[in-house]
Amino acid sequence: MTPLQMKLARTAVGLGVRELAAAAGIAPSTVQRFESEKGDMHSRTLDRVQQVLEEAGIIFIAADAAGGPGVRLRS
């Protein structure tokens, strides 16, 4: 998951930084740093955040020949 994907996903499901952080059990500053590309996340932390967003209805789309990475809502 890229920082842009996280921000798009969070916004798509209506979660603020604090709400996403609380659901993933991390500090809001961790989400803010990652989304602003001022810091990385440990892989386990990133996995927890991705799980929270997927449970909220997000599907992560990997980059391919047709375009860059993205997100969409499950129907």
Side-chain angles (χ1 to χ4, degrees), residues 6-30:
M6 180 186 289
K7 188 169 188 172
L8 291 170
R10 180 177 60 74
T11 302
V13 295
L15 290 175
V17 169
R18 289 184 184 138
E19 291 86 7
L20 176 58
I26 60 175
S29 61
T30 303

